[in-house]
Amino acid sequence: MKVSQNWLKSLVEINTTADDLSEKLSIGGFEVESLVDCSENVKGIVLGKVLSVVKHENSDKLSICIVDIGRSNPLQIVCGAKNVKQNIYVYVATIGTHLSAINLIIKKSEIRGVSSEGMICSLEELGIEDTSEGIAIIDDDIALNHKLGTSGAEILNLNDYIYDLAITANRPDGMSVVGIAREISALLETKLNFPDLKTKYKTNVYKKFNLCPEAITKNCLYSISNIESVNGKQLSPGWLKDRLDKSGIKSINLLVDITNYILLEQGQPLHAFDKDKLSNLIGRQVTYKDFSIRKANNNENLLCLNGENYKLNENITIIACDDKPVAIAGVIGGLETAVNEDTSSIYLEGAVFNPVTIRKSSKEIGIRTESSSRYEKGISHKNTLDSVTRAINILEEYFNVLNPIINTSKELDSAKVLIPLRRERVNKILGPIVIRNENYDTNSKLEKRYLSDNEISEKLKLIGCTLKIKEYGWDVEIVPNRSQDLLREIDLIEEIARLIGYDMFDLNLPNPIKPGKLSSSQIALRKLKTGLIANGFNEVLSYSLVPESKNNLIKISNPLLLETSCLRDNIWQEHIKICNQNIKSGHDYCWIFEVGNIFNKKPDFSQEEILNGAIYGNNKFEQWLGSNKDNNLTYYEARGKLKEALSILNLKIEDRSTDSIDFLHPGRSTRLFTEGNEVGYFGEIHPNLISNKIALKKMYLFSLKINTILKACTRKNKWITVYKQFPTVPKMERDINFIFNKKYLVSEIISQIKKSGKKLLEDCNLIDVYDDEDSFGKELISYTFRLSYRDSEKTLLDSDIAFLHDSIVENIEKKFSTKLRD
């Protein structure tokens, strides 16, 4: 938002420098991105009068001019302009002036033997116009009002500053000059001088407008006013052009410029339709009853003011006249009904639309205008009719406007919305302010006190609030242009603190300050990440917002882009994309993991934190040793890498094969369990993903439920290290070999062995797998287990474990219908 300081001065008293005001605005919440001194390019330029012009003896194109700039002696200037002549007023660049537009420093010089003490300038050389033919000649009426030698900045109305403000979404009042002036008044504690409405016009409440309920909601309004006896050829006066130009808007004609002026001044977009063009469009005399708001049809087109012919669809809201599209509501008008030089009567539209519909329309056609940006942030419908009235007031100054009627969709509600503000609550939230004396030093005792009632009320009155005193404090009525962000008591308290100054309040730190520390779950999560990184994984971060692809995604109510319109329900798809990108870049491997949230729509909206990862290729430093070998990891190698990373948590994780995960290989995927609870999955991607070009090469995916994993590993018996004496007696080992049906999991067999082993069985490990279809068939496999026995008090003999060992073998044979292998 660009705004001129001279324009602001007409609305509010400014008693400080531009730099100081810029700093105050930035601290107050309106960041000044840049501050432009308009006079910078014309410093050293003064008003001069050409007293005489003589042709240069040594040149046909040069003239020797004597120019009076108000000094005791006139200047001699050599000039090459064709239009230079005696007794004209001109802009003179004195010696030492830097003309930045042409990057020239004016020096006393000699041109073909004649001394030249300055330069007579064109508007192009001053950087005011893009092109100029000859020097700039100042009108006598303007020049005679100034003394010779007056600075060019004063004559050109360039003694001004332009503030370029970054307006945040929570402060839509900053999108108007009136809103910025009110903010300056509050910061500087100076008086406001807002323009009064000279004439108020009759309003007609017409409730039969056909209005789209999605676009015109409870706090919205639509108005249309017929204004006769105007002239499209009328150009804007200098003051209006100047204010628009410094705000970055090009002047077109008075009718269009007034709508743009109200947009800037009041923050209320207006649009003018040519009445005769509307009548030609619908084939009869147009009336206010012909206007409507609806969703566009998929087969409609609209040629707009920017020359683009947009294909409309049902996501775009339009203004229609007799059901024919004439504008995209709140975004841009149609060219076919636009005001031009032949316009003699107009329909002036003023409305407030639902911000959601405006944003959708703007995104669909791919443009963002001054109007749409204001509607998207939100404006108050209570200002709309006054803004229309203000526009007609200005039109009346230049045209013979006869008693216009403002037709509106509803009557404004006169009921006041009051926010209770409790004195006790203000003091509790903000605390006392600190009073520092002029002779304050570090040994002085600081005076502290709570804000007085007068201080609180005065600050709120500065931002336009009206207060009614109550026993508990005040009932506060908010000015309309702040009604979008001042909604609750805490919002008012924040405004009080902002205007008083946050640095004025006492610090309220805990005494003594207790150092923070990580919880067991936070430490465990850091360990888990460290374990993955130590084993060669890289942590990544992907967006939680994804495009709409299926109905089970949670949709964002007001998305910025279609590509970010839904919340993700998985992370693995993004990880496949990351691996694909690395493959395309020529990388031999990609091991990644991410801790993030997924969002589930069914059965109820829920959010779950998970750790997801992907493994592609072989992460080896010794690549040159096996450069001709397959770079892919086997299933067991990939699973082993994850096991190594998870070993830091001291958790035993059990794999159970599954074929129910549709994006994983049905024969090479498992669900992961710990303490009987499912904690995630691991597996190779489904071959269909490769054949459908979703994944470029074979890779492995894994997922862990963070809360379940952390809860299991931080249990007291696992998290707190307990000292255990190192055994002083040897263990005894026995190997057993069985032929099992492949349907049985190794984890089930080991679990059964441990249950049968009682206290003497210390450990059981799988040490050999033998799979031979010729010997056993397709359904059988041989497993060899090593059983370790130990008694903490004595050295075991064969006789001590014989019965127990035989019992274990017997239990395994019964449970799994197997026998010891010969």
Side-chain angles (χ1 to χ4, degrees), residues 153-166:
E154 183 177 336
I155 300 168
L156 291 164
N157 196 26
L158 293 177
N159 280 331
D160 199 359
Y161 289 89
I162 297 175
Y163 299 84
D164 191 356
L165 304 171

Side-chain angles (χ1 to χ4, degrees), residues 120-255:
I120 302 174
C121 301
S122 67
L123 293 180
E124 180 183 356
E125 289 162 339
L126 296 179
I128 296 171
E129 292 183 354
D130 293 333
T131 57
S132 296
E133 293 185 6
I135 58 172
I137 299 175
I138 305 170
D139 289 342
D140 290 355
D141 293 340
I142 297 174
L144 291 173
N145 290 326
H146 300 86
K147 293 181 179 180
L148 293 176
T150 300
S151 72
E154 183 177 336
I155 300 168
L156 291 164
N157 196 26
L158 293 177
N159 280 331
D160 199 359
Y161 289 89
I162 297 175
Y163 299 84
D164 191 356
L165 304 171
I167 307 301
T168 54
N170 66 317
R171 290 296 302 273
D173 60 299
M175 297 296 285
S176 68
V177 181
V178 165
I180 296 167
R182 192 183 296 280
E183 179 71 10
I184 291 172
S185 170
L187 294 172
L188 302 181
E189 299 186 5
T190 54
K191 293 181 180 179
L192 288 168
N193 183 31
F194 287 169
D196 295 323
L197 297 177
K198 298 175 183 177
T199 308
K200 291 200 173 183
Y201 309 101
K202 181 181 178 181
T203 58
N204 170 41
V205 179
Y206 183 66
K207 296 186 177 180
K208 293 183 180 180
F209 278 120
N210 184 12
L211 305 176
C212 172
E214 185 184 336
I216 303 295
T217 54
K218 181 182 177 182
N219 293 323
C220 298
L221 175 147
Y222 186 76
S223 74
I224 195 81
S225 309
N226 181 22
I227 302 171
E228 302 284 348
S229 304
V230 296
N231 184 357
K233 294 179 181 179
Q234 177 80 39
L235 298 178
S236 297
W239 66 268
L240 182 52
K241 286 182 178 179
D242 179 66
R243 290 180 178 182
L244 291 178
D245 180 59
K246 289 175 179 175
S247 297
I249 295 179
K250 184 180 179 182
S251 175
I252 298 173
N253 60 41
L254 183 56
L255 296 176

